[in-house]
Amino acid sequence: MAAILIIDDDHMILRLLSRMVEKMGHQPTTSETLGEGLELARRQPFDVVFLDVRLPDGNGLEGLPELRANGAGPEVIIMTGQGDPDGAELAIKNGAWDYIEKPASVDKMRLPLLRALDYRHERQQQAAPKVLKREDIVGDSPALQVCLEIMAQAAASDGNVLINGETGTGKELFAWGIHRNSARADKSFVVVDCTALPETLVESLLFGHVRGSFTGADRSQRGLIEQAHGGTLFLDEVGELPMGLQKSFLRVLQERRFRPVGGNTEISSDFRLIAATNRDLEEMVAQGQFRQDLFFRLRTFSLDLPALRERGEDLPELVNHHLTRLCQRYKLRPKGFAPDFLEALQAYAWPGNVRELVNVLERSLSAAQDEAILYAYHLPTYLRVEVTKASLRRPEQGDLPVSVDLAPLERLPSLAKVRDQAAAAAEKRYLRDLLARTHGDIQKTCAISELSRGRLYALLKKHGLSRKS
Amino acid sequence: MNLICYMPAELAANHPLRRLMLHGMPKFTRQVYESLPGLERRLTCPGEPESILVLVVSDLQALESLVAMGDLCQAHPVVLVLPEDQDSLHGLAHRLRPRFMTSLTCASAEMEAVLTRLGSRTQSDPGAASGRAKISPEERRAGSERELGA
């Protein structure tokens, strides 16, 4: 008997699905809200979840990663009352089993459930999966779990993989992870950096060339495709691959055969392709900048890596992992970090993702020298400034003395008064936070705030703050 | 743009690659090392801006030593220069995951083009230390060893 969770605020759907599930010999559990559904999934394992999109307390799609990460990773069937192709895409990308539109007949709802249960049954019959070598991939957030699952599937197959993600999200790390977990792990992992190679060089580097094929070719050279024989070819920033070469490369992907520049005979190479990009290839296809047939051929598996800001819960583990690794690399004694250090990191937006985080940790280590604990003070100045500015931009409750749209007209103060009060509140909060960060060090506080010592003391008195505030 | 280059002492003084690394590409700041321990000392200095690592390998032993440094080299984009007619080194060389791999007969113009492209990307990358903001003197720890032509 399988355990089925149904999350929908429509009583009729709940009754209909519950009856269907019971008739199939399984155990239904129902919930009318997303929050309650997530709580149920945290408490007990489910095999399949029917999840409505529009729920009273939120969008069901937002709960999908967490649902998938719970227990035995239930299969999730998304239900919606409205046609929403973007929502469907998001659901499938986040690992939903299927997507059905309401109203749907009982048969239409039964079919995906049957298939999902068959799939789980088959998976359970298989031998225990081998442990995934994660290399430097750190974290357990739902968003990362989805990626690890796809990474494991890709590693077990020999299909082409397309990895999408912003700069610094770890595209090469995942490509390496797929290679290391695949049957080709003992062979070469060959990197082709499409942004680093001038257009004139790419063809001969990829395909190789024979002696005399062009000016300067005074000896034959094996190309990177040939060097990847038996192993993995990693095409980094594939969006930069020149249009002219995309056609030749497509043929290589189809036939695994190619002709070196100036050569008469074809060479075969048995390689597995992993491509990565931070560009929207679909958009490039629409604009005629990337071949559609190559795009389709590349994405047998598609892996969308989350930005660091989308998996903030992984930050403490990432910081711990990389600090330990960096201390080992630089032969430093292990260092800890104070709460304010982590708080500042958590308040930052990380446009450069994990790569930027590692650079920031490295610079903090450098600034801390022999100190055993890292404080926010050790962080690079640009980051501290950014975090402070962001905290000042964020409106806090009570910033404004009145709510303009709620207060009676006769009680509304003048704009000047509102402005003065808001400025005073921001000034007080800035000074309080800055003193906390500098641990009451007046000299540092003056330097960062660009206030004279006299002016700083006057402001502290005005706002009733002390050095230890 | 920063360049760290390891180049064995036996590479001829008038070799185009040596000339390029020591005197070419004025936009790069560079640190050139002729010994592997010197290179290793430099790579174990924390907080330096991200650099492109150019490794000129003379033989299998040198390549093995560089591969053994592993993590230290892979913290940077690697450009690898192998001796001529040494296809047998390719398998081991890929363990360093080079962004560009060539041989000693490579034209200087090609090498310069690749380094310039890598350098401009490193500068514009929001994740790279050098791409965000210069490290202030107080953040920076002295200790980088500059052996030649810096």
Side-chain angles (χ1 to χ4, degrees):
Chain A
M1 183 195 287
I4 316 293
L5 174 62
I6 306 157
I7 308 175
D8 199 314
D9 60 336
D10 184 334
H11 288 212
M12 204 177 74
I13 294 284
L14 286 181
R15 270 203 309 276
L16 190 77
L17 275 174
S18 293
R19 212 173 301 145
M20 179 191 89
V21 167
E22 277 168 351
K23 275 189 180 173
M24 289 167 74
H26 304 300
Q27 175 65 49
T29 304
T30 60
S31 165
E32 291 176 28
T33 64
L34 181 61
E36 189 197 5
L38 289 172
E39 189 53 41
L40 283 165
R42 278 181 215 124
R43 287 207 304 263
Q44 66 179 95
F46 289 97
D47 296 288
V48 176
V49 178
F50 280 99
L51 176 63
D52 188 20
V53 173
R54 292 205 162 191
L55 288 160
D57 56 339
N59 186 322
L61 293 177
E62 286 166 11
L64 178 57
E66 188 185 332
L67 280 171
R68 293 277 296 134
N70 275 320
E75 309 310 327
V76 180
I77 299 168
I78 298 289
M79 305 182 292
T80 179
Q82 297 167 329
D84 179 6
D86 292 339
E89 184 185 338
L90 188 65
I92 301 301
K93 280 187 170 175
N94 277 290
W97 173 261
D98 209 345
Y99 190 92
I100 49 179
E101 269 189 350
K102 294 189 291 186
S105 65
V106 172
D107 275 349
K108 271 198 173 162
M109 297 203 191
R110 190 184 1 236
L111 203 59
L113 176 60
L114 273 173
R115 285 185 182 147
L117 290 173
D118 281 350
Y119 167 71
R120 285 178 78 77
H121 180 68
E122 208 169 292
R123 231 173 41 166
Q124 280 160 7
Q125 300 301 308
Q126 288 169 2
K130 62 176 186 177
V131 178
L132 196 66
K133 296 185 198 100
R134 289 177 59 149
E135 307 298 329
D136 259 349
I137 302 169
V138 179
D140 278 308
S141 59
L144 194 70
Q145 287 292 346
V146 171
C147 296
L148 287 170
E149 203 172 302
I150 298 171
M151 176 175 137
Q153 289 167 13
S157 103
D158 216 19
N160 301 330
V161 185
L162 178 61
I163 305 176
N164 293 284
E166 292 177 12
T167 300
T169 46
K171 295 186 286 290
E172 184 168 343
L173 199 57
F174 270 85
W176 174 243
I178 292 169
H179 172 75
R180 291 278 294 138
N181 284 285
S182 75
R184 298 173 179 268
D186 294 337
K187 302 289 183 180
S188 292
F189 177 79
V190 175
V191 179
V192 182
D193 186 336
C194 299
T195 51
L197 306 178
E199 201 167 332
T200 47
L201 270 184
V202 186
E203 190 176 9
S204 87
L205 281 170
L206 269 178
F207 301 114
H209 61 254
V210 297
R211 188 178 167 186
S213 53
F214 53 85
T215 314
D218 44 12
R219 53 185 278 271
S220 296
Q221 193 173 308
R222 289 166 74 215
L224 292 168
I225 295 175
E226 191 181 347
Q227 290 174 40
H229 179 68
T232 301
L233 187 73
F234 175 51
L235 221 52
D236 198 6
E237 299 306 348
V238 67
E240 309 300 322
L241 197 65
M243 253 310 209
L245 209 60
Q246 289 178 21
K247 189 178 176 187
S248 334
F249 193 72
L250 176 69
R251 189 176 160 258
V252 178
L253 277 187
Q254 287 165 334
E255 299 172 18
R256 295 297 197 264
R257 294 183 69 77
F258 63 95
R259 197 189 302 267
V261 177
N264 293 322
T265 50
E266 286 201 328
I267 296 174
S268 65
S269 176
D270 166 31
F271 64 92
R272 190 272 179 86
L273 181 81
I274 303 179
T277 181
N278 63 6
R279 299 183 65 179
D280 184 347
L281 284 192
E282 219 162 347
E283 181 61 30
M284 288 180 73
V285 168
Q287 291 182 357
Q289 294 165 346
F290 199 87
R291 287 184 70 101
Q292 190 178 45
D293 42 12
L294 178 58
F295 173 58
F296 288 144
R297 181 66 68 159
L298 292 179
R299 57 166 196 184
T300 310
F301 288 93
S302 185
L303 186 50
D304 293 313
L305 300 184
L308 181 53
R309 63 185 169 277
E310 290 162 348
R311 56 183 191 110
E313 60 266 54
D314 288 336
L315 202 68
E317 198 182 337
L318 278 163
V319 172
N320 266 319
H321 173 84
H322 288 291
L323 268 186
T324 308
R325 204 170 57 92
L326 290 169
C327 286
Q328 283 167 356
R329 180 196 292 170
Y330 297 126
K331 300 182 173 66
L332 300 168
R333 276 190 306 175
K335 288 191 198 298
F337 53 88
D340 73 336
F341 183 81
L342 189 60
E343 280 162 20
L345 295 180
Q346 282 170 326
Y348 184 60
W350 299 110
N353 295 296
V354 180
R355 187 183 301 154
E356 185 181 5
L357 173 68
V358 175
N359 278 323
V360 161
L361 293 177
E362 201 170 322
R363 289 172 62 175
S364 304
L365 282 176
S366 171
Q369 300 206 11
D370 296 328
E371 291 173 46
I373 304 287
L374 296 176
Y375 292 93
Y377 174 68
H378 294 125
L379 289 165
T381 310
Y382 83 85
L383 189 144
R384 282 188 291 150
V385 168
E386 197 66 37
V387 168
T388 307
K389 274 162 64 181
S391 76
L392 290 175
R393 276 196 298 268
R394 207 179 306 134
E396 276 185 9
Q397 238 181 354
D399 268 357
L400 289 176
V402 290
S403 172
V404 174
D405 51 358
L406 292 178
L409 271 179
E410 63 276 13
R411 285 178 55 196
L412 277 179
S414 68
L415 174 63
K417 195 172 176 187
V418 170
R419 194 163 41 207
D420 289 346
Q421 283 174 320
E427 198 172 78
K428 182 177 180 180
R429 200 169 56 243
Y430 171 85
L431 291 172
R432 187 191 60 209
D433 292 350
L434 186 55
L435 281 167
R437 295 258 178 112
T438 59
H439 305 290
D441 185 325
I442 293 295
Q443 202 177 340
K444 278 182 197 164
T445 307
C446 287
I448 293 168
S449 62
E450 295 180 1
L451 291 170
S452 69
R453 193 175 277 257
R455 178 73 183 136
L456 175 65
Y457 277 118
L459 286 173
L460 294 183
K461 191 175 173 188
K462 174 184 163 191
H463 295 299
L465 296 169
S466 71
R467 285 174 60 179
K468 301 293 172 198
S469 290
Chain B
M1 287 183 279
N2 306 284
L3 206 63
I4 301 172
C5 177
Y6 163 69
M7 201 161 45
E10 56 266 30
L11 188 69
N14 63 349
H15 192 285
L17 191 61
R18 179 179 285 279
R19 286 210 304 268
L20 179 70
M21 288 298 130
L22 290 181
H23 309 297
M25 300 178 294
K27 283 183 180 166
F28 282 90
T29 56
R30 72 204 73 196
Q31 293 160 299
V32 182
Y33 296 88
E34 288 193 339
S35 74
L36 285 170
L39 174 72
E40 193 166 359
R41 271 198 299 279
R42 164 61 186 83
L43 295 179
T44 46
C45 288
E48 294 289 325
E50 187 174 319
S51 307
I52 300 164
L53 197 54
V54 180
L55 304 171
V56 183
V57 175
S58 53
D59 53 26
L60 175 64
Q61 200 185 349
L63 184 58
E64 282 173 342
S65 303
L66 288 165
V67 170
M69 285 189 206
D71 192 32
L72 282 181
C73 291
Q74 282 171 16
H76 305 271
V78 171
V79 169
L80 196 57
V81 184
L82 296 175
E84 290 169 55
D85 301 320
Q86 291 288 323
D87 286 0
S88 60
L89 297 183
H90 284 166
L92 188 60
H94 284 300
R95 303 259 295 266
L96 287 167
R97 288 192 248 160
R99 315 306 295 179
F100 178 58
M101 194 162 81
T102 184
S103 74
L104 274 171
T105 52
C106 160
S108 297
E110 277 178 11
M111 177 64 100
E112 191 171 345
V114 170
L115 291 175
T116 304
R117 288 173 77 104
L118 275 173
S120 56
R121 189 179 62 186
T122 306
Q123 272 206 322
S124 61
D125 179 356
S130 57
R132 296 292 310 178
K134 292 282 178 207
I135 297 177
S136 64
E138 66 186 33
E139 288 169 22
R140 190 174 195 144
R141 186 182 186 179
S144 71
E145 180 187 339
R146 194 169 287 194
E147 289 193 342
L148 280 173

